[in-house]
């Protein structure tokens, strides 16, 4: 009996931002959590939404984004589930963190968001979420196409 | 709160965040360009690294003076200007321009000045005549 393995493609993820130099995409799970965080009419949601929008525009619109570590930061290298490691990056604003990795998607540079931490913690990133993000990224066809998987 | 009030509040909040973000982007651009580390920036400003980080975070609400201090520490001065396309021209701009660019066609400023001078002489003359007749009246009396 043959087993079919679903192939996950970042190019099918939701396009959140697009520019001359890069794009931002999110998995449906990440998008749903992100939407909840920014869609409120309260003051914090409005501020949060503005920051993420501007940060995404900066990331996508220029070759050298002016994003300080307070806005966009590499959280470290984590196992991809195939013997290699994924560099997990994070967009953050107003206590919401979007974890993902930068891949070549559709012929261009793309931040692929997989997990959102909306627990509103002030301190360090959630290690469990970082590891889960790396495993999610490892399953993507675009990641495999870059020859990053070791087994 | 009405829908209109809510939209006004949203726009105002977005304006606040846009200015903060513009300042933060500029600080990051300058520190990258000049190779100023976070530790060096903290030393130059007299602020702690934690305070610098706080200033660059989304939740920041820096004072104008602390922003000025950071730019000064980076060897820069921040200029303030609006982005509105409607700019009021200072008077000097108008006076420096040739007559053809400041007045409507057919307008003759020299003619008007001449008329004004004539009127002034007439007023002075009138006052003189009034003074003269007053003196004559006094003398007659």
């Amino acid at each position: 009996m043959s087993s079919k393995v679903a192939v996950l493609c970042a190019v099918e993820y939701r396009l959140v931002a697009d520019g001359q130099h890069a794009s931002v995409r999110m998995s449906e799970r990440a998008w749903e959590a992100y939407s909840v965080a920014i869609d409120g009419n309260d003051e914090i949601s409005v501020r949060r939404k503005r920051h993420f929008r501007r940060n995404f525009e900066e990331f996508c619109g220029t070759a050298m984004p002016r994003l300080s570590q307070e806005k966009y930061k590499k959280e470290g290298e984590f196992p991809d589930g195939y013997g290699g490691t994924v560099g997990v990056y994070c967009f953050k604003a107003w206590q919401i963190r979007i974890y993902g990795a930068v891949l070549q998607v559709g012929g261009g540079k793309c931040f692929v968001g997989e997990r959102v931490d909306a627990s509103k913690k002030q301190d360090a990133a959630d290690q469990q979420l970082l590891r889960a993000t790396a495993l999610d990224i490892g399953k993507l066809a675009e990641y495999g196409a870059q020859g990053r998987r070791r087994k | 709160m009405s829908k209109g009030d809510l939209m006004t509040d949203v726009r105002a909040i977005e304006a606040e965040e846009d200015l903060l973000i513009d300042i933060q982007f500029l600080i990051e651009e300058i520190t990258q360009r000049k190779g100023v580390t976070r530790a060096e920036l903290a030393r130059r400003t007299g602020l702690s690294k934690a305070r610098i980080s706080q200033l660059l975070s989304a939740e920041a609400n820096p004072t104008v003076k602390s922003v000025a201090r950071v730019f000064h520490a980076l060897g820069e001065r921040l200029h303030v200007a609006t982005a509105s396309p409607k700019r009021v021209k200072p008077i000097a701009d108008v006076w420096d321009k040739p007559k053809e660019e400041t007045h409507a066609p057919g307008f003759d400023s020299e003619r008007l000045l001449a008329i004004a001078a004539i009127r002034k002489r007439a007023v002075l003359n009138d006052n003189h005549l009034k003074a003269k007749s007053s003196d004559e009246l006094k003398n007659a009396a």
Side-chain angles (χ1 to χ4, degrees), chain B residues 32-50:
Chain B
Q32 280 182 18
R33 178 162 37 92
K34 296 191 174 185
V36 177
T37 64
R38 197 57 67 84
E40 177 63 15
L41 184 58
R43 187 191 68 77
R44 292 184 192 181
T45 55
L47 302 171
S48 66
K49 282 201 290 184

Side-chain angles (χ1 to χ4, degrees), chain B residues 19-20 49 75 96 136:
Chain B
L19 180 58
L20 173 65
K49 282 201 290 184
D96 288 343
E136 286 175 347

Side-chain angles (χ1 to χ4, degrees), chain B residues 122-136:
Chain B
V123 168
L124 287 173
N125 199 40
D126 190 46
N127 289 340
H128 175 71
L129 287 173
K130 284 180 182 174
K132 190 176 175 184
S133 21
S134 175
D135 288 335
E136 286 175 347

Side-chain angles (χ1 to χ4, degrees), chain A residues 22-44:
Chain A
S23 60
V24 174
R25 289 181 182 271
M26 288 190 198
S27 65
E28 275 309 304
R29 172 173 49 200
W31 172 252
E32 281 172 17
Y34 172 69
S35 296
V36 168
I38 65 163
D39 273 352
N41 284 332
D42 59 290
E43 184 181 323
I44 300 289

Side-chain angles (χ1 to χ4, degrees), chain A residues 41 43 46-47 50-51 54-55 58 64-71 92-95 122, chain B residues 6 10 13-14 16-18 20-22 24-26 28-29 32 38 53 56-59:
Chain A
N41 284 332
E43 184 181 323
V46 172
R47 295 187 189 279
R50 196 65 177 176
H51 275 269
R54 292 286 310 271
N55 292 349
E58 184 70 13
M64 293 189 64
R66 300 166 297 173
L67 297 170
S68 67
Q69 62 188 17
E70 286 78 12
K71 296 179 184 296
K92 46 184 177 171
W94 282 96
Q95 298 151 10
Q122 298 272 15
Chain B
L6 182 62
V10 168
I13 293 168
E14 289 177 349
E16 289 177 5
E17 296 307 310
D18 277 339
L20 173 65
I21 292 164
D22 286 344
Q24 291 172 338
F25 281 173
L26 197 51
E28 181 64 17
E29 178 187 322
Q32 280 182 18
R38 197 57 67 84
S53 181
L56 293 172
S57 71
E59 298 87 342

Side-chain angles (χ1 to χ4, degrees), chain A residues 10 14 17 33 37 54 57 60 81 97-99 120-122 135 137 139:
Chain A
R14 184 180 290 265
R54 292 286 310 271
E57 284 175 356
C60 296
R97 300 167 191 257
I98 304 170
Y99 298 124
K120 300 181 178 60
K121 290 184 298 188
Q122 298 272 15
L135 293 175
I137 293 291
K139 293 173 186 157

